[in-house]
């Protein structure tokens, strides 16, 4: 136990003084983003108690270092170990300032808090805040300096499963393309929240963010296994947000995304191909330049992205999605043969034969020498003929069955009356 008050402010300006009243366990301390659980008693300098979690009987939880509490608390609790009890003397500029917190805390008040730290848990940075991605910061990074969705990052990643290392590499890739480096989705999601120079441990769970049903070959990692990665973000290229880009920058970004999509399509990586083509669409979707040349280029890139999106969906047997992207092209290019053919093929796969045949016929109108479409028209006609023959047989059998049912003798109302009367008579006779 120490009887000396220590200045714990970064500037050493005396704004927060710490007195340890009970030593904690070990040397590990909570880091920024962790959720800490404490008990506290708050008093003014004159000894007046203004708040106490102990009196309420409930531990107080907050997210450390995120500005959820007064500045003096963020600084103070970050210096504590598990089980430690400390007294913090917090000057007003690290507390509630000149305004105070009426009616209990006057403006400019120095506050004294006795705090006991019980435990802390990792920060939940999963998109749905469902505990599937948890982060514990080891080394803080630069403030307000984050990669975004397509930034190129340089990071060192170490992956472990139940303490056994299975991944240890320095990687350089674009956010969204980490699977090419053998990284699970959870690592990429986490990196979007990393600051430059940050080193953190992340825990990822659930099929969506781990390797799911496809763990790395030879790793002995079970399906959907919970994993840990220690990540050090060394560098990244900041990509401007879409709204920050000029028309020219948007065209360039969309073209790059489309080209990368084509690269992944050729590699057979349909998921990444789809994401890149979709990125091209997102960049240009709302670009409305008045320059005719730029608008023509925009339409060319967009239509190329739409067609490739339809191709990817077709390969994944997602026919309705395929049709959706074809329709995007046909809105401005109703005679586009690729869009017509791909949509017709999707309709044929869905057994919408007559609608498909109309589109194949339209292709032949646009390109009379299109042999593939002409052949598909024959296929459609044969299919329709076969369907008609099956329908004829089915209806013929149905009518025959109805006719047979009609020919069967049935009791009329009069017959039933006679039976009832006969039965009644017999009963009376017997009586």
């Amino acid at each position: 136990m120490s009887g000396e008050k220590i200045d714990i402010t970064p500037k050493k300006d005396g704004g927060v003084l710490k007195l340890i009243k009970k030593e904690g366990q070990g040397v590990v301390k909570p880091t920024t983003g962790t959720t800490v659980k404490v008990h506290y008693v708050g008093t003014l300098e004159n000894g007046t108690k203004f708040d106490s979690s102990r009196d309420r009987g409930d531990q107080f939880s907050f997210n450390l270092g995120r500005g959820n509490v007064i500045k003096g608390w963020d600084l103070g609790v970050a210096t504590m170990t598990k089980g430690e009890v400390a007294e913090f003397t917090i000057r007003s500029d690290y507390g509630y300032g000149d305004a105070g917190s009426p009616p209990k805390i006057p403006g400019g008040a120095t506050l004294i808090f006795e705090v006991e730290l019980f435990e802390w848990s990792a920060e939940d940075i999963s998109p749905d805040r469902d505990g599937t991605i948890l982060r514990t910061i080891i080394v803080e990074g630069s403030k307000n300096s984050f990669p975004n969705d397509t930034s190129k990052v340089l990071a060192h990643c170490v992956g472990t499963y139940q303490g056994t290392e299975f991944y240890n590499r320095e990687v350089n890739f674009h956010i969204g393309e980490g699977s090419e480096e053998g990284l699970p989705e959870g690592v990429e999601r986490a990196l979007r929240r990393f600051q430059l120079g940050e080193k953190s441990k992340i825990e990822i769970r659930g099929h969506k963010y781990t390797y799911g049903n496809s763990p790395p070959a030879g790793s002995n990692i079970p399906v959907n296994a919970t994993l840990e990665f220690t990540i050090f973000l060394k560098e990244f290229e900041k990509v401007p947000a879409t709204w920050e880009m000029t028309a020219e920058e948007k065209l360039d970004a969309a073209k790059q995304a489309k080209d990368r999509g084509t690269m992944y399509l050729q590699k057979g990586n349909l998921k990444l191909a789809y994401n890149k083509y979709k990125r091209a669409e997102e960049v240009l979707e709302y670009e409305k330049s008045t320059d005719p040349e730029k608008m023509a280029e925009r339409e060319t890139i967009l239509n190329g992205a739409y067609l490739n999106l339809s191709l990817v969906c077709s390969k994944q047997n997602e026919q309705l999605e395929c049709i959706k992207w074809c329709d995007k092209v046909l809105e401005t290019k109703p005679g586009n043969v690729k869009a017509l053919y791909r949509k017709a093929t999707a309709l044929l796969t869905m057994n919408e034969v007559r609608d498909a045949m109309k589109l194949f016929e339209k292709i032949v109108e646009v390109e009379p020498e299109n042999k593939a479409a002409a052949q598909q028209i024959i296929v459609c006609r044969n299919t329709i003929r076969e369907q008609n023959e099956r329908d004829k047989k089915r209806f013929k059998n149905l009518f025959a069955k109805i006719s047979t049912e009609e020919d069967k003798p049935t009791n009329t109302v009069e017959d039933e009356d006679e039976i009832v009367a006969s039965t009644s008579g017999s009963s009376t006779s017997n009586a």
Side-chain angles (χ1 to χ4, degrees):
M1 185 180 297
S2 170
E4 181 186 352
K5 289 187 178 183
I6 302 168
D7 183 354
I8 60 170
T9 60
K11 297 177 181 178
K12 300 301 178 189
D13 60 8
V16 183
L17 302 177
K18 176 182 179 180
L19 172 66
I20 297 176
K21 302 184 81 172
K22 177 189 169 188
E23 296 283 355
Q25 306 163 17
V27 296
V28 180
K29 299 177 177 65
T31 56
T32 298
T34 53
T35 299
V36 298
K37 290 186 177 181
V38 302
H39 260 320
Y40 68 90
V41 178
T43 58
L44 301 176
E45 283 185 298
N46 64 9
T48 302
K49 182 165 62 175
F50 59 83
D51 195 10
S52 171
S53 65
R54 292 191 186 279
D55 291 349
R56 292 192 297 274
D58 287 324
Q59 291 178 4
F60 176 62
S61 299
F62 69 97
N63 208 223
L64 185 64
R66 299 300 188 206
N68 299 152
V69 290
I70 58 174
K71 191 176 179 181
W73 265 61
D74 272 337
L75 288 172
V77 175
T79 68
M80 300 179 73
T81 56
K82 186 175 182 180
E84 181 180 321
V85 179
E87 180 184 278
F88 297 101
T89 304
I90 302 175
R91 204 168 59 205
S92 64
D93 51 328
Y94 286 86
Y96 291 97
D98 293 337
S101 182
K104 293 185 176 181
I105 301 174
T110 294
L111 309 174
I112 299 169
F113 283 96
E114 182 186 90
V115 180
E116 180 176 3
L117 175 62
F118 290 93
E119 60 180 350
W120 61 88
S121 55
E123 180 184 14
D124 186 352
I125 59 171
S126 51
D128 297 325
R129 298 295 184 269
D130 56 4
T132 49
I133 307 175
L134 301 176
R135 169 174 67 178
T136 302
I137 295 175
I138 300 168
V139 178
E140 295 267 4
S142 306
K143 297 295 182 187
N144 303 316
S145 178
F146 304 92
N148 47 15
D149 280 352
T150 57
S151 291
K152 192 173 186 180
V153 298
L154 174 65
H156 189 257
C157 301
V158 178
T160 60
Y161 168 66
Q162 294 186 342
T164 301
E165 185 179 296
F166 65 87
Y167 192 103
N168 190 335
R169 288 173 56 190
E170 187 165 284
V171 290
N172 197 353
F173 66 95
H174 290 270
I175 293 286
E177 302 175 28
S179 59
E180 290 290 283
E181 299 293 338
L183 293 170
E185 176 74 14
V187 171
E188 292 201 75
R189 290 283 180 172
L191 276 168
R192 289 173 169 88
R193 299 286 301 275
F194 271 49
Q195 296 175 326
L196 181 63
E198 177 182 330
K199 183 178 183 180
S200 290
K201 182 182 74 176
I202 65 164
E203 183 179 335
I204 52 179
R205 51 170 54 88
H207 71 279
K208 188 175 180 182
Y209 297 124
T210 62
Y211 292 112
N213 294 324
S214 306
S219 64
N220 296 320
I221 297 175
V223 168
N224 297 329
T226 297
L227 307 171
E228 280 190 2
F229 275 86
T230 300
I231 305 168
F232 174 32
L233 179 58
K234 294 183 171 184
E235 298 175 12
F236 69 87
E237 294 173 9
K238 187 72 174 176
V239 177
T242 304
W243 59 269
E244 296 175 308
M245 296 180 184
T246 63
E248 201 165 308
E249 286 172 334
K250 286 182 184 177
L251 289 169
D252 187 52
K255 188 175 184 304
Q256 286 183 32
K258 181 174 168 290
D259 289 345
R260 291 189 73 78
T262 301
M263 177 188 75
Y264 286 120
L265 181 60
Q266 290 167 349
K267 286 183 175 182
N269 192 329
L270 299 181
K271 181 182 176 182
L272 282 186
Y274 184 94
N275 290 344
K276 293 302 164 185
Y277 292 135
K278 191 73 174 65
R279 167 68 179 169
E281 188 238 6
E282 288 166 355
V283 170
L284 292 181
E285 188 176 11
Y286 300 110
E287 172 54 32
K288 303 295 181 187
S289 173
T290 54
D291 186 328
E293 258 187 53
K294 286 186 173 58
M295 288 309 290
E297 189 178 353
R298 169 189 179 273
E299 189 172 298
T300 300
I301 295 171
L302 268 181
N303 284 336
Y306 292 150
L307 284 170
N308 287 329
L309 282 164
S310 72
L311 177 59
V312 172
C313 292
S314 176
K315 286 178 177 289
Q316 293 177 318
N317 200 29
E318 296 174 358
Q319 307 305 337
L320 288 175
E321 278 289 298
C322 172
I323 290 169
K324 180 184 86 173
W325 295 116
C326 290
D327 284 341
K328 288 271 194 180
V329 179
L330 296 172
E331 284 175 14
T332 56
K333 301 283 185 183
N336 186 286
V337 170
K338 281 187 179 179
L340 289 168
Y341 193 92
R342 207 159 282 155
K343 181 178 179 179
T345 303
L347 288 168
L348 191 56
T349 303
M350 294 165 62
N351 210 29
E352 301 288 342
V353 185
R354 287 173 173 79
D355 288 339
M357 188 168 75
K358 288 176 185 175
L359 293 181
F360 287 127
E361 288 171 344
K362 186 170 183 179
I363 292 169
V364 172
E365 287 176 20
V366 177
E367 286 185 358
E369 301 302 317
N370 194 311
K371 293 180 180 178
Q375 181 60 38
Q376 290 300 92
I377 292 170
I378 295 170
V379 171
C380 289
R381 284 174 179 164
N382 289 339
T383 304
I384 291 169
R385 190 179 302 112
E386 289 168 6
Q387 286 176 346
N388 288 340
E389 288 298 322
R390 284 196 299 271
D391 289 344
K392 279 182 187 177
K393 287 180 182 178
R394 187 165 66 251
F395 288 127
K396 184 178 179 182
N397 292 336
L398 178 62
F399 291 141
K401 185 178 179 182
I402 293 170
S403 177
T404 304
E405 292 292 330
E406 287 176 347
D407 289 342
K408 284 183 181 179
T410 56
N411 291 323
T412 62
V413 174
E414 290 79 13
D415 292 335
E416 289 174 356
D417 286 342
E418 287 174 10
I419 292 168
V420 172
S422 170
T423 305
S424 301
S426 172
S427 299
T428 305
S429 173
N430 288 336

